Amino acid sequence: MDVGRNVTEDAPWLVVGLGNPGKEYAGNRHNVGFMVVDLLASRVGAKFGRSKRAQGEVAEGRLGFGGPKLVLVKPLTFMNLSGNAVVSLAQFFKVPVSNVIAVHDELDVPFGQVRAKRGGGEGGHNGLRSMSKSLSSKEYARVRFGVGRPPGRQDPADFVLSDFSGVERKELDFLIDRAADVVEAIVLEGVEWAQNKYHGG
């Protein structure tokens, strides 16, 4: 059974873009989750605004005419406390864990690849760790945006908190678009379907 399909058919989906607030972090590899949910918001014609219920920016819209409701969120708590906003919004919008999707940078996936999965470990990612703790579950979906490993002996923390390289930026818009496609595929068809479609490259 693919638990990626809606457990509750009418339940909204909470799509969490992981990142750090502030202009100084905007172009960082660690902020690619923010970039993807920004694109998703524009696709569904929604605008982000400060939430009264959680420390985050929220945009709401539907995927297609009469389609599933998306609640897009950019936590404003910094990465290691991201779960606080996620659990507050999940409770308010009555979103089951099965309908939560985290979009995040992934060191263990090469740059140029986007991967979907459900559950598993956090791979040292503080945003995922905070979400798992706050939700008391790891069984949410993840869209893993590959950033690859740092060159040489560069510290991984410094690497993800630096901007994409000039060469990477040439592909970045295409890859953000692909990651948004993967999110939509999970919502409409499930994680397994998204894996089959998008894991070829």
Side-chain angles (χ1 to χ4, degrees), residues 121-143:
E122 292 92 7
H125 196 291
N126 288 335
L128 294 178
R129 187 178 292 131
S130 178
M131 281 184 61
S132 297
K133 182 178 179 183
S134 294
L135 292 168
S136 300
S137 174
K138 297 183 179 185
E139 292 305 307
Y140 51 90
R142 297 101 184 272
V143 173

Side-chain angles (χ1 to χ4, degrees), residues 19-22 24-25 34 55 75-83 127 130:
N20 287 311
E24 66 270 35
Y25 299 106
F34 278 16
Q55 277 188 279
L76 298 179
T77 52
F78 288 95
M79 198 67 86
N80 61 347
L81 295 174
S82 300
S130 178

Side-chain angles (χ1 to χ4, degrees), residues 29-102:
R29 293 177 176 89
H30 222 22
N31 270 45
V32 75
F34 278 16
M35 301 173 199
V36 174
V37 294
D38 279 339
L39 177 57
L40 285 165
S42 69
R43 285 186 179 186
V44 300
K47 289 194 166 149
F48 279 96
R50 286 297 293 264
S51 171
K52 295 177 181 176
R53 302 172 190 94
Q55 277 188 279
E57 292 189 352
V58 172
E60 299 175 48
R62 288 198 176 271
L63 201 51
F65 181 73
K69 179 177 179 177
L70 299 184
V71 179
L72 308 168
V73 58
K74 295 188 286 187
L76 298 179
T77 52
F78 288 95
M79 198 67 86
N80 61 347
L81 295 174
S82 300
N84 294 352
V86 175
V87 73
S88 295
L89 291 167
Q91 289 170 350
F92 178 80
F93 287 102
K94 297 181 170 55
V95 180
V97 171
S98 58
N99 282 29
V100 176
I101 303 173

Side-chain angles (χ1 to χ4, degrees), residues 29-30 105 107 149-150 153-162:
R29 293 177 176 89
H30 222 22
D105 58 304
L107 288 163
R149 285 278 163 187
R153 297 185 177 182
Q154 185 179 7
D155 181 69
D158 292 337
F159 178 68
V160 297
L161 288 173
S162 59

